[in-house]
Structure formats: structure tokens, C-alpha cells
Amino acid sequence: TINNIGLIYQRMRYYELAEESIRTGLRISDSLKYEAGRVYSLRRLAALYIAQQKYDEAAKFYDEIVTSYKKRNEKSGLAQLYNDFGLIAEKKGDLLEARKFFEQSRDRSQEIDDKFIESFALLNLGRIERLTKEDKAGLTNLKKAQELAERGAFSSILRDIYLELSKLYHETGNVDEAFVYLTKHNDLKDSLLNETVLSSVGEMRIRYEMEKSNER
């Protein structure tokens, strides 16, 4: 629960509060010798550092996480982790390596029938293919990702899929379709923002925590 509170802070970009919560969860897991809890905390820390573009910091945790996931046959965890590896490779400019990781994530997610991870992996593959000018393959993967995300109501992924489709159509000269998907992206982005704004109780709690932190 404390780790997931950290995840909420991360999504709202209160990174210091996120790390404080996650490290508290890590200390509790270590005190109980609870391996699954420890690895989940490390996974959350790695994701937090990726969000802050601290890729070398994130990479420090991966050997332990992969070893634990393989030992416990955590296929879902590995599928998610390969997406992380792909994002790090992409940010470092190694698009070929990124593609390999995203393909592994897609394949593993299909094995366990996890449509959320699969749609995210397909989004990432489609983006890599757009960047490498493989427009036909990119469109195919983005459309597959769109179908899965719309069916599963994966709003945050769908928002990014719409943006990638808009970019791809624009780059291939299909201005009308580019505009359609840019409009879909903006509408969904505004909708998600409104949902965040409506959670005023959570926002007040965060403000209280920040003010308390500043008083120390």
C-alpha cells in the first residue's frame, strides 16, 4: 500500500514524496524478509527514476529484479520490465536494442494474455518504427495497440497512441487523419486532466504533506 501511495505521488510528479513512500515500503519489506515486497519496491524505484530520466540509477536495480522474477516465474513482471529496458535503450538512442526489448514485452504479454501490457508494448514498437521510417509496420502496430486500448478502456495508453498516430499520419502526408487523431488525443488528455482535478481530496492531502515537509 505504501508503495502504491508512492506510485500516485509519482504520477502527480511529486517525486520526492514518491521516493520517500517507496523507500519506506522497502524498509518494511526488508525488516520482514519479504522478497516479493522488496522486489516490488525496487521495481517502483526503477520506474520512478525512469520518470525523472535518471536511467543509470534505474538500471542499478534490474539485475536483482530480473533474478527474482525468473526465480518466481513472474511473467507479468518480466513483460513490464522489458518495456522499461526498451524505454531506457530508446532514450540512449539505441533504437534497434529498444525494438528487441519491446518485442520481448509484446511476446510475453501475449503468452499471459495481458492486454494492457501488450497495448503498451505495441505503442512503443509503433513509435520506434515511426522513428526509423518503417511507416507500414508502425501503422499496423499502432492500430493493434489502439484496438486493445479502446476495448480495455486503457485511457492513458490510448491518449499516447492517438498522438503517435497523428505524428505518423502527418509525416506520411495524410493531414486529415493527422488532425483527426490529434483532436482525439487532445480531447482524451483534457478528460484525464479533469479527472485528476476532480480528485480534490487527494490534492489537499498532497498539499498538506508538502507543507508539513517544508516545515521540517
Side-chain angles (χ1 to χ4, degrees), residues 40-51:
Y40 184 62
S41 293
L42 296 181
R43 177 79 180 79
R44 291 266 52 85
L45 279 173
L48 175 63
Y49 287 139
I50 288 176

Side-chain angles (χ1 to χ4, degrees), residues 49-190:
Y49 287 139
I50 288 176
Q52 298 175 85
Q53 300 184 357
K54 298 179 180 178
Y55 304 115
D56 290 337
E57 290 296 312
K60 292 177 181 177
F61 302 112
Y62 283 127
D63 285 345
E64 182 176 348
I65 296 171
V66 169
T67 298
S68 179
Y69 279 169
K70 287 183 176 178
K71 183 175 76 174
R72 293 184 289 115
N73 199 27
E74 285 272 357
K75 293 182 179 179
S76 177
L78 283 170
Q80 295 178 57
L81 207 59
Y82 286 126
N83 258 319
D84 284 359
F85 290 161
L87 291 171
I88 291 174
E90 180 184 352
K91 292 298 183 182
K92 290 185 173 182
D94 192 342
L95 300 186
L96 180 60
E97 188 72 6
R99 181 206 295 270
K100 291 177 182 177
F101 283 127
F102 293 142
E103 287 173 342
Q104 288 187 70
S105 177
R106 177 203 59 198
D107 294 345
R108 287 180 180 271
S109 65
Q110 289 174 346
E111 287 175 14
I112 59 176
D113 198 30
D114 190 317
K115 303 302 183 187
F116 182 88
I117 300 175
E118 184 181 357
S119 65
F120 188 45
L122 289 168
L123 160 63
N124 291 328
L125 270 175
R127 183 179 60 258
I128 293 296
E129 287 156 347
R130 177 180 67 79
L131 292 171
T132 54
K133 304 302 180 184
E134 299 170 73
D135 300 324
K136 186 175 180 180
L139 182 60
T140 297
N141 279 320
L142 288 171
K143 282 294 189 178
K144 287 179 183 176
Q146 179 186 353
E147 180 184 350
L148 292 175
E150 286 180 341
R151 194 187 312 155
F154 309 141
S155 298
S156 60
I157 297 178
L158 192 57
R159 172 199 59 202
D160 295 341
I161 292 168
Y162 288 155
L163 182 59
E164 279 302 317
L165 281 167
S166 177
K167 290 179 179 179
L168 189 149
Y169 280 124
H170 183 266
E171 291 171 6
T172 54
N174 193 335
V175 179
D176 290 340
E177 283 297 298
F179 181 75
V180 167
Y181 279 100
L182 183 59
T183 301
K184 286 175 178 274
H185 165 75
N186 286 329
D187 288 346
L188 188 50
K189 181 175 69 173
D190 290 343

Side-chain angles (χ1 to χ4, degrees), residues 2-24 26 39-59 61-62 65 81 84 87-88:
I2 292 170
N3 277 305
N4 288 334
I5 290 171
L7 175 58
I8 292 169
Y9 283 139
Q10 175 189 323
R11 288 179 176 170
M12 299 188 77
R13 299 185 182 180
Y14 295 122
Y15 295 132
E16 289 185 9
L17 290 173
E19 184 162 356
E20 182 181 325
S21 291
I22 295 167
R23 288 197 177 277
T24 298
L26 179 61
V39 171
Y40 184 62
S41 293
L42 296 181
R43 177 79 180 79
R44 291 266 52 85
L45 279 173
L48 175 63
Y49 287 139
I50 288 176
Q52 298 175 85
Q53 300 184 357
K54 298 179 180 178
Y55 304 115
D56 290 337
E57 290 296 312
F61 302 112
Y62 283 127
I65 296 171
L81 207 59
D84 284 359
L87 291 171
I88 291 174

